[in-house]
């Protein structure tokens, strides 16, 4: 192969490898069952805070939630997706660590936040307003990011991402 031919071949190979590397999507982290987690952000007065969430979108997943699980990492959570908007109530049965339970309206606005819930409690924790989604984060995390009722959640389920 001549010097020019070799140069063109090397340049084409380099461009091919570079383009492939640039277009290969990074794989999302996975949950305990190996399912890919989805990105979700909460926008507060202190900025946009990014999380990776498991999705609970059927009755069995919503019933199990985070029962029997170790504490969540700071950037992890679970998003419960419901087919309708209604008053919701959660409890902490068989949940060994404190959670922040964030009730979210269909437009992605936070309705209310139950902070630092009591592990293993069977006391019902109401949303105090209609919610289509519920986010569970590590207990105390909502306060750390400054989350309040009215703040915006960004995720495709709410049509906000």
């Amino acid at each position: 192969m001549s010097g020019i031919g070799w140069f063109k071949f090397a340049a084409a190979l380099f461009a091919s490898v570079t383009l492939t590397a640039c277009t290969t999507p990074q794989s999302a982290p996975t949950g305990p069952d190996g399912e890919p987690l989805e990105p979700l952000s909460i926008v507060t007065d202190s900025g946009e805070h990014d999380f990776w969430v498991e999705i609970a979108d059927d009755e069995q997943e919503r019933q199990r939630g985070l029962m029997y699980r170790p504490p969540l990492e700071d950037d992890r959570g679970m998003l419960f997706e419901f087919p309708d908007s209604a008053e919701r109530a959660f409890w902490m049965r068989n949940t060994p660590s404190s959670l922040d339970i964030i009730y979210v309206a269909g437009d992605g606005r936070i309705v209310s936040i139950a902070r630092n819930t009591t592990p293993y409690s069977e006391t019902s924790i109401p949303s105090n307003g209609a919610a289509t989604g519920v986010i569970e984060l590590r207990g105390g995390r909502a306060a750390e990011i400054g989350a309040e009722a009215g703040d915006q959640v960004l995720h495709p389920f709410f049509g906000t991402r």
Side-chain angles (χ1 to χ4, degrees):
M1 189 177 291
S2 71
I4 293 176
W6 174 249
F7 177 76
K8 287 181 178 178
F9 171 77
L13 180 62
F14 176 77
S16 173
V17 170
T18 302
L19 288 174
T20 301
C22 290
T23 58
T24 303
Q26 291 183 350
S27 61
T30 57
D33 296 331
E35 73 285 358
L37 302 181
E38 294 185 10
L40 175 145
S41 298
I42 301 174
V43 181
T44 72
D45 287 344
S46 65
E48 188 171 320
H49 304 275
D50 300 325
F51 297 90
W52 288 100
V53 295
E54 296 175 54
I55 303 298
D57 59 0
D58 66 36
E59 195 56 34
Q60 182 179 1
E61 291 170 334
R62 289 190 291 263
Q63 288 294 323
R64 185 179 60 239
L66 292 172
M67 289 182 176
Y68 309 107
R69 300 271 291 275
L72 291 167
E73 297 175 39
D74 287 353
D75 68 340
R76 301 297 164 96
M78 181 173 278
L79 171 60
F80 296 78
E81 298 176 348
F82 293 91
D84 61 342
S85 185
E87 179 76 24
R88 306 274 175 221
F90 274 42
W91 62 2
M92 295 292 292
R93 175 186 278 175
N94 299 318
T95 307
S97 58
S98 180
L99 298 172
D100 288 342
I101 301 174
I102 303 172
Y103 295 98
V104 186
D107 66 356
R109 293 283 172 192
I110 295 176
V111 173
S112 65
I113 303 172
R115 300 174 191 274
N116 296 303
T117 57
T118 303
Y120 298 108
S121 174
E122 294 189 14
T123 301
S124 184
I125 304 165
S127 59
N128 299 312
T132 304
V134 179
I135 302 166
E136 290 182 340
L137 302 176
R138 176 186 54 75
R141 192 70 178 115
E144 291 170 6
I145 66 170
E148 298 290 342
D151 286 345
Q152 185 70 51
V153 175
L154 305 177
H155 185 272
F157 178 69
F158 303 109
T160 55
R161 172 116 28 218

